[in-house]
Amino acid sequence: MAKRFIEVLKGKRLAPPPWWLMRQAGRYLPEYRELRNRAKNFLDFCYRPELAVEASLQPVRRFGMDAAILFSDILVIPDALGQRLEFREGEGPVLEPIASDRDFARLKPENLHRRLAPVYEAVRRLAGGIPAEVALIGFAGAPWTVAVYMVEGQGGGARTKIRDWFRRRPADGETLLALLADATIEHLSRQIASGAEAVQLFDSWAGGLDDDEFRRFVIAPTRRIVARLKERHPGVPVIGFPREAGARYPEFARETGVDAVGLDGAIVPSWAVREIGACAALQGNLDNRVLVAGGERLAGEARRVLEGFRARPHVFNLGHGVLPETPPEHVALLAQIIRAWKD
Ligand code: CP3
């Protein structure tokens, strides 16, 4: 039986569209908080297959999404490479930044598979345990976004350290992105071999770059990853999510070869349908704050998204992850609205 989520990624239009939510597992669910308390820390949580499997299944059980996403994090790659990483309560991830050639030389790509074995074990168990109509999504951070964390030591901000570094020593920048692209290919390839049926590349910090940087740091590594995955796993769809790419989304879709693009909340659906719809399926893009608000505002905005993308293959999602303050009942309301949608 073809799964609805996979059919749409391969170019079929379905009404109602399949749906899932970025960060559908997380602190907004009481059962997640309970599970989280059983782990020593967040990384321990990610590396214990029985906990990761349960966290992946919780939202699907409660709300009936069309896809489960592996519970893990994009920062398991720097962790597995040997960079020091800590998830501090209320502060998010903090890494010991890469500042010199010496730090760089200490990264150990050869340890990746061994360190990440529990992640693949979680994928295997999930593939064997999810309901037959639900698809399993694997994921990784895109090289640029992971490099931002590795060099800046944290996310967000103006990203001046990394942009300066890549400008002063372009060869080092390219080497880091190539190392991360290769690690990402291996990581996603193993997830697929373990049972992931589609994969998503999260490029959360793809905004705020100039044209040349966007091509070198976002498009080029993504294109390389997509090409290798397509050679090794033909038919497994790849979703690219270059958050805040704005007017560069069409070029991203054309140049990288992704099957679908994840759109952030700033993108107008009719524009995306016109400018991107011909070369990729579209995923998105309800504002995550509207999901916090709930009620009529949620109903109205969700229908606007459904209507806006109806002309093309569309996967309903948010423009960014579920916020921790989201009432779970609002997700249940969203599920009802999507299921009731007719063309
Ligand atoms: O979507 C899912 O349900 C699957 C699991 C998933 C997590 N992180 C779990 C998580 C996925 C796909 C991610 C991706 C991720 N991680 C991204 C890309 C998407 C985005 O949000 O832009 C990024 C940038 C990260 C790095 C990261 N991990 C940050 C910035 C944080 C702290 C923010 C926060 O909400 O605390 C994390 C921690 C994290 N990753 C949590 C979860 C559920 C919260 C940890 C906790 O339980 O305390």
Side-chain angles (χ1 to χ4, degrees):
M1 184 192 61
K3 303 188 184 189
R4 305 177 79 245
F5 173 70
I6 303 294
E7 285 193 290
V8 168
L9 295 181
K10 292 188 170 175
K12 187 163 177 186
R13 213 175 60 87
L14 289 179
W19 72 293
W20 68 283
L21 304 177
M22 292 187 279
R23 287 286 182 89
Q24 63 190 22
R27 284 165 298 191
Y28 76 107
L29 291 176
E31 61 269 34
Y32 171 89
R33 295 194 298 270
E34 197 270 316
L35 196 63
R36 170 91 157 78
N37 285 336
R38 289 198 232 160
K40 275 206 301 282
N41 53 51
F42 181 70
L43 276 173
D44 177 54
F45 190 174
C46 291
Y47 293 143
R48 281 172 60 186
E50 72 283 11
L51 300 184
V53 166
E54 177 57 21
S56 312
L57 292 175
Q58 284 175 343
V60 177
R61 219 180 267 139
R62 212 191 235 256
F63 306 114
M65 287 92 173
D66 294 285
I69 182 163
L70 164 70
F71 186 83
S72 182
D73 199 84
I74 66 166
L75 298 178
V76 297
I77 291 284
D79 180 63
L81 290 170
Q83 187 172 11
R84 271 242 280 243
L85 161 66
E86 228 188 294
F87 284 85
R88 298 195 185 142
E89 288 315 316
E91 217 185 308
V94 182
L95 296 86
E96 200 164 279
I98 297 184
S100 68
D101 289 352
R102 273 226 313 279
D103 299 337
F104 198 52
R106 274 206 291 263
L107 299 175
K108 294 267 186 308
E110 63 276 16
N111 291 346
L112 212 68
H113 310 142
R114 193 173 45 76
R115 298 282 300 267
L116 297 179
V119 176
Y120 312 128
E121 176 59 23
V123 176
R124 260 190 301 278
R125 292 191 200 177
L126 273 168
I130 53 173
E133 68 282 7
V134 177
L136 179 59
I137 307 171
F139 75 93
W144 166 249
T145 287
V146 175
V148 167
Y149 282 98
M150 292 174 78
V151 173
E152 300 280 337
Q154 57 190 42
R159 284 153 255 164
T160 41
K161 259 205 265 180
I162 188 166
R163 292 176 76 197
D164 280 354
W165 190 48
F166 280 26
R167 208 168 291 143
R168 271 197 332 271
R169 300 168 59 173
D172 286 352
E174 299 292 337
T175 308
L176 178 59
L177 290 177
L179 181 149
L180 290 173
D182 287 342
T184 306
I185 291 160
E186 284 309 312
H187 187 43
L188 291 175
S189 193
R190 279 169 197 264
Q191 291 179 45
I192 294 167
S194 306
E197 299 166 276
V199 292
Q200 175 155 326
L201 271 172
F202 287 88
D203 221 342
S204 305
W205 305 115
L209 297 171
D210 67 31
D211 280 332
D212 180 55
E213 289 173 328
F214 188 79
R215 286 189 191 124
R216 282 160 52 219
F217 306 159
V218 174
I219 291 184
T222 302
R223 180 169 41 211
R224 172 164 159 170
I225 293 165
V226 174
R228 284 298 135 70
L229 291 177
K230 294 283 170 195
E231 278 166 25
R232 293 194 195 172
H233 313 278
V236 174
V238 181
I239 308 165
F241 177 48
R243 189 167 70 91
E244 292 176 0
R248 298 198 179 98
Y249 262 111
E251 184 186 358
F252 176 89
R254 268 196 318 273
E255 299 292 325
T256 58
V258 293
D259 300 274
V261 286
L263 303 167
D264 63 66
I267 298 297
V268 175
S270 59
W271 179 83
V273 164
R274 200 168 61 239
E275 301 293 330
I276 315 172
C279 65
L282 303 171
Q283 175 175 280
N285 73 342
L286 183 75
D287 186 335
N288 55 5
R289 285 159 310 190
V290 169
L291 193 58
V292 176
E296 280 308 306
R297 173 127 185 265
L298 169 58
E301 290 289 303
R303 288 190 193 109
R304 196 187 52 79
V305 170
L306 288 160
E307 178 65 40
F309 290 108
R310 70 190 297 168
R312 301 294 314 165
H314 174 225
V315 174
F316 193 103
N317 204 317
L318 301 175
H320 200 190
V322 177
L323 295 165
E325 62 269 31
T326 307
E329 316 79 73
H330 294 182
V331 179
L333 172 63
L334 176 63
Q336 269 179 26
I337 293 165
I338 297 171
R339 285 194 200 106
W341 175 255
K342 291 197 193 70
D343 237 346

